Amino acid sequence: MRLKLLGLTAIFSLLSACSTTEKTPVVETVKAKPAVEVDLSAQDLYQKALSKRDFDKIQLLYTARDRAIEEQNWQLVITICEQLIESGGPDSVRNQLYIALAYTQQKDYHTALKTLESLNAKLTSPMHFFLHQEIYGNIYSAQALPHQAAPYLIRASETANKHDFKADKVNKALWQVLNQLSIKQLEALNSGSSIQRGWVSLALYTQLYIGDATSLQAALNKWNYAYSNHPASFALPDNMQQIIDVQPINVNRIAIILPSNQSKQKALSQSLKAGILAASEKHPDRELHFINSALSAEQIAEQLNELAPDFVIGPLLKENIDKLQQAGTLDAYPAMYLNTTPQALESIDHFAFALNPEHEVTQAVYHFVNKEFKKPLVIAPGNRLGKRLANHFTNQWLEFSDNEPEVGFYANKRDMQKLVQELLEVDKSKQRIREISLMFRGKLHEETRSRRDIDAIYIIADAAQTRLLKPSFDVNISTFAKRIPIFASSRSHDIKSDKTDKKDLAGLYFSEIPWMLPLTGEQQSLRSEFDQIWPEHTTLEQQLFAMGFDAVKLIPQLRQLQMVPGKTLTGLTGDLTVNQDGDIERALKWAQYREKQIVTLDIKSQKPTPLFIKNHQQETQEAAL
């Protein structure tokens, strides 16, 4: 299993006494003192308790409950806690909190939230409130909603500090959550109690100065002086430099494993090479060594052994990645695969960088939910890729809405017009007009009507197909209806096509990598040079050039990006982040065709609140009225 760098673990493990990478937030329990064998399992203790009566039974049930929590036997925790509640055992609220914890660990978040909600008015002790806030925070964190998890975990940390509770796991969870927030989100939280401001200030310092040992050391010294009694300050060691010296990956020699110039992938390989060379121009002393990915794993291993590179980029094709992963060829080297990997990444210095189309489909879903669209229509080609991406859209959408999107697949260009009319139900409107016309011999003023429930359209199609689909939607949407915004994936955009005709795409929104949009500054100069040298490159080849450029640009910051998930790098392929599994993720830009030009839009597609949490929040608000 890949060794995960959760949050800024390297620093936090020394700032606090909590260095475990255990994910399960096992909460502190009050131990009973029954005279039982210490090596009995929770199940054995539970069975033994069932043979007892009255006080002895309850005492053993409490011991079994605590052991079940230690063993993470969550179904047994629920069973025991329900029996303790039914038997009238002491502290029923804590048993209900443990039930909520167990449901959380079983990923039954809806039931966990309902349990927590039922306890809002019953939290009679600081420990109740501490556990209640911790579990809430862990639920939001599990949904990748750090901005919603942070306030709960901050309150848990504040309560623990005030009442001297053991809270290593809460503090660890809070630290990981804070490091997933952007600097802007952190600044919005930088108020309130001294505990809250201390946590947020520490997270801000690490984001701003990680990789800069001198500045980070000065900032942490300042922080330690201001927050000497803070929960994160009790374990600061004397040798600060050992904590803060998180070095970037320095490379003087890079090995690049790509298809040869004689292969079928020659054009793709050359585009990647061009991007890698362009990004390396500012490092004239850096050595680049290209290795043919068609060689056997043993031959590649021999060349790597001779070169002793500081970093490896590639391979590109999944079959070649699989070949090297199975042989362990790159185990001894920091490496970045240029595709998704068939196997999990085993090393903390291995990363996967892919131009994954699912990234932008997910981004479109987030944008649609944040815009409060209720019924999107998705249209895509009926091939494997089209169905895969449309299904991905549907699956993502249903996490946030109980309305299924409308989905249509077309077989060819001739099929498009008919499909659009069917999806918008214009064909039914035309049939009604014909039927009414037969009833009257005189001329009628007629106007077809399209369905009114569709409030957004998402096109997954190439540039030629999009130039047919967009006008087709325009003419088939009723003039009586509100104009429906039409969006498209980056597949719809082609720079060559834009040079000759944009008018049919007027108003269309689309997501795209920055490299394919109007650029400014240094990137604009690079774009001009590229267009002069390679004016006839295809869209895919240009995307691969940008990918090769970003691959080199990423190398020095990979460790910092993974340690601080809220940190981003602006690249030619998007705003780049590194998740805990080592996958490099991209946030694309949004743009729109306006008056024969393309305008880049400032739209941030933040992950919205999942449907089950949204429903819970709504029920809570209604109950409070």
Side-chain angles (χ1 to χ4, degrees):
M1 179 181 292
R2 179 184 177 85
L3 299 175
K4 296 184 177 181
L5 292 170
L6 300 176
L8 198 72
T9 308
I11 292 180
F12 181 66
S13 62
L14 294 171
L15 285 176
S16 74
C18 180
S19 61
T20 176
T21 58
E22 180 185 1
K23 290 183 177 180
T24 306
V26 179
V27 295
E28 292 73 17
T29 61
V30 176
K31 298 288 184 180
K33 299 178 180 179
V36 296
E37 296 85 352
V38 294
D39 58 346
L40 287 182
S41 68
Q43 186 64 43
D44 290 339
L45 288 168
Y46 173 62
Q47 293 298 326
K48 191 168 185 176
L50 294 180
S51 67
K52 303 291 184 180
R53 298 180 61 183
D54 302 327
F55 176 78
D56 289 340
K57 178 179 181 179
I58 291 176
Q59 189 179 37
L60 267 176
L61 283 175
Y62 274 111
T63 304
R65 179 200 69 182
D66 294 349
R67 186 67 55 82
I69 292 174
E70 291 176 358
E71 295 174 1
Q72 302 179 27
N73 187 342
W74 301 115
Q75 191 55 50
L76 184 58
V77 170
I78 294 171
T79 299
I80 296 172
C81 287
E82 287 177 343
Q83 289 196 22
L84 285 168
I85 294 168
E86 185 179 349
S87 67
D91 205 348
S92 171
V93 171
R94 179 177 285 202
N95 284 317
Q96 292 177 74
L97 286 166
Y98 286 164
I99 289 174
L101 169 66
Y103 280 125
T104 300
Q105 295 305 315
Q106 292 178 322
K107 299 184 179 180
D108 185 354
Y109 302 113
H110 179 71
T111 305
L113 284 172
K114 289 182 73 69
T115 304
L116 291 172
E117 178 63 27
S118 70
L119 298 173
N120 281 347
K122 302 176 183 178
L123 306 174
T124 57
S125 75
M127 178 58 75
H128 291 164
F129 183 75
F130 168 76
L131 297 176
H132 187 262
Q133 298 297 290
E134 177 188 19
I135 298 167
Y136 255 124
N138 286 328
I139 290 173
Y140 283 108
S141 180
Q143 301 306 307
L145 295 170
H147 59 293
Q148 296 195 42
Y152 288 100
L153 294 173
I154 287 171
R155 287 191 288 268
S157 180
E158 290 170 341
T159 303
N161 187 70
K162 181 177 180 180
H163 297 279
D164 200 25
F165 297 154
K166 189 177 186 325
D168 288 351
K169 296 188 186 304
V170 165
N171 291 334
K172 175 189 172 184
L174 173 56
W175 183 241
Q176 292 171 357
V177 159
L178 290 175
N179 277 296
Q180 294 175 53
L181 299 178
S182 66
I183 289 177
K184 185 176 181 180
Q185 289 173 319
L186 286 170
E187 289 174 342
L189 283 173
N190 200 12
S191 60
S193 70
S194 174
I195 299 300
Q196 177 168 336
R197 285 183 281 109
W199 280 115
V200 174
S201 296
L202 187 60
L204 279 168
Y205 287 151
T206 55
Q207 282 220 32
L208 290 168
Y209 302 121
I210 186 169
D212 182 350
T214 303
S215 298
L216 185 54
Q217 177 171 344
L220 289 182
N221 282 335
K222 177 182 176 182
W223 179 90
N224 190 40
Y225 178 79
Y227 300 101
S228 58
N229 295 318
H230 194 274
S233 66
F234 62 88
L236 282 172
D238 295 330
N239 191 353
M240 183 77 69
Q241 188 62 38
Q242 292 180 2
I243 307 171
I244 63 179
D245 195 13
V246 181
Q247 293 292 340
I249 299 175
N250 293 318
V251 290
N252 296 312
R253 183 177 298 157
I254 303 176
I256 302 104
I257 305 172
L258 291 175
S260 70
N261 290 337
Q262 286 73 44
S263 68
K264 294 180 180 179
Q265 294 82 30
K266 173 183 176 181
L268 305 184
S269 178
Q270 287 182 335
S271 299
L272 279 164
K273 286 180 181 178
I276 291 169
L277 290 168
S280 302
E281 281 187 355
K282 293 184 179 180
H283 306 277
D285 297 332
R286 181 177 290 170
E287 297 179 21
L288 302 179
H289 299 271
F290 292 91
I291 298 174
N292 184 359
S293 58
L295 297 174
S296 68
E298 292 76 14
Q299 290 172 316
I300 292 174
E302 288 177 6
Q303 292 198 27
L304 290 173
N305 187 50
E306 291 179 9
L307 291 172
D310 303 309
F311 198 88
V312 178
I313 296 175
L316 171 64
L317 304 179
K318 287 185 179 180
E319 57 264 33
N320 290 326
I321 294 174
D322 189 36
K323 172 179 67 180
L324 298 188
Q325 278 192 310
Q326 288 190 21
T329 307
L330 303 184
D331 288 357
Y333 308 96
M336 182 195 304
Y337 298 108
L338 297 178
N339 210 327
T340 54
T341 57
Q343 304 174 42
L345 298 170
E346 297 293 340
S347 169
I348 60 173
D349 274 338
H350 280 189
F351 305 87
F353 184 20
L355 299 181
N356 190 335
E358 277 81 1
H359 286 169
E360 62 177 312
V361 173
T362 297
Q363 188 173 329
V365 170
Y366 290 177
H367 181 56
F368 283 19
V369 176
N370 290 330
K371 292 287 288 184
E372 298 185 350
F373 294 139
K374 304 299 181 186
K375 184 73 172 179
L377 185 158
V378 180
I379 187 165
N383 56 27
R384 183 192 298 180
L385 178 62
K387 290 181 178 179
R388 187 185 96 197
L389 296 181
N391 289 337
H392 183 74
F393 184 102
T394 298
N395 293 335
Q396 291 285 301
W397 176 262
L398 292 177
E399 288 188 22
F400 310 102
S401 173
D402 51 13
N403 293 324
E404 282 221 28
E406 192 77 25
V407 179
F409 299 104
Y410 56 86
N412 49 52
K413 293 180 180 179
R414 294 189 302 273
D415 190 37
M416 290 179 185
Q417 177 75 14
K418 180 182 176 182
L419 178 62
V420 168
Q421 292 187 354
E422 289 177 355
L423 291 170
L424 294 177
E425 297 183 357
V426 172
D427 57 336
K428 293 180 180 179
S429 176
K430 289 182 176 180
Q431 178 61 31
R432 288 194 297 270
I433 291 172
R434 284 193 295 268
E435 292 172 354
I436 294 173
S437 296
L438 292 174
M439 297 171 60
F440 300 92
R441 295 185 178 181
K443 291 185 177 180
L444 297 176
H445 175 72
E446 59 187 54
E447 181 76 40
T448 56
R449 294 177 181 268
S450 57
R451 60 193 292 184
R452 299 294 184 95
D453 59 331
I454 298 295
D455 54 4
I457 296 168
Y458 188 57
I459 297 173
I460 301 173
D462 63 28
Q465 294 164 347
T466 302
R467 278 167 169 74
L468 295 175
L469 284 168
K470 171 62 168 56
S472 184
F473 278 112
D474 287 340
V475 300
N476 282 290
I477 295 173
S478 172
T479 55
F480 298 106
K482 182 180 178 181
R483 304 309 294 173
I484 303 174
I486 302 177
F487 299 81
S489 71
S490 62
R491 289 171 50 79
S492 69
H493 180 229
D494 181 75
I495 292 179
K496 288 184 180 179
S497 300
D498 284 347
K499 291 178 180 178
T500 58
D501 186 16
K502 294 190 186 77
K503 66 179 181 179
D504 287 340
L505 300 178
L508 178 72
Y509 298 91
F510 65 99
S511 53
E512 182 58 283
I513 65 173
W515 178 243
M516 306 297 283
L517 296 172
L519 299 167
T520 59
E522 191 173 326
Q523 290 184 345
Q524 186 180 34
S525 300
L526 180 63
R527 175 86 244 183
S528 298
E529 292 177 15
F530 179 93
D531 289 340
Q532 290 177 7
I533 300 173
W534 297 288
E536 300 302 321
H537 265 39
T538 66
T539 296
L540 177 58
E541 290 166 353
Q542 294 193 59
Q543 291 171 341
L544 290 173
F545 171 89
M547 183 186 190
F549 190 95
D550 282 354
V552 173
K553 186 177 178 180
L554 275 164
I555 292 173
Q557 299 196 49
L558 284 169
R559 288 172 180 161
Q560 289 86 345
L561 288 168
Q562 188 174 37
M563 288 179 179
V564 186
K567 189 177 179 66
T568 62
L569 174 71
T570 299
L572 300 184
T573 58
D575 289 334
L576 306 171
T577 58
V578 181
N579 68 21
Q580 295 165 0
D581 295 322
D583 296 316
I584 297 163
E585 298 179 342
R586 302 174 301 129
L588 279 67
K589 298 289 185 183
W590 283 104
Q592 186 182 28
Y593 288 92
R594 292 182 188 170
E595 299 178 357
K596 298 182 180 181
Q597 65 177 344
I598 293 174
V599 177
T600 303
L601 306 175
D602 185 19
I603 297 175
K604 303 297 183 184
S605 298
Q606 183 175 328
K607 182 177 180 179
T609 304
L611 181 63
F612 77 91
I613 292 181
K614 192 185 300 181
N615 289 340
H616 168 75
Q617 292 172 340
Q618 184 176 348
E619 291 169 2
T620 302
Q621 292 172 358
E622 291 173 353
L625 296 177

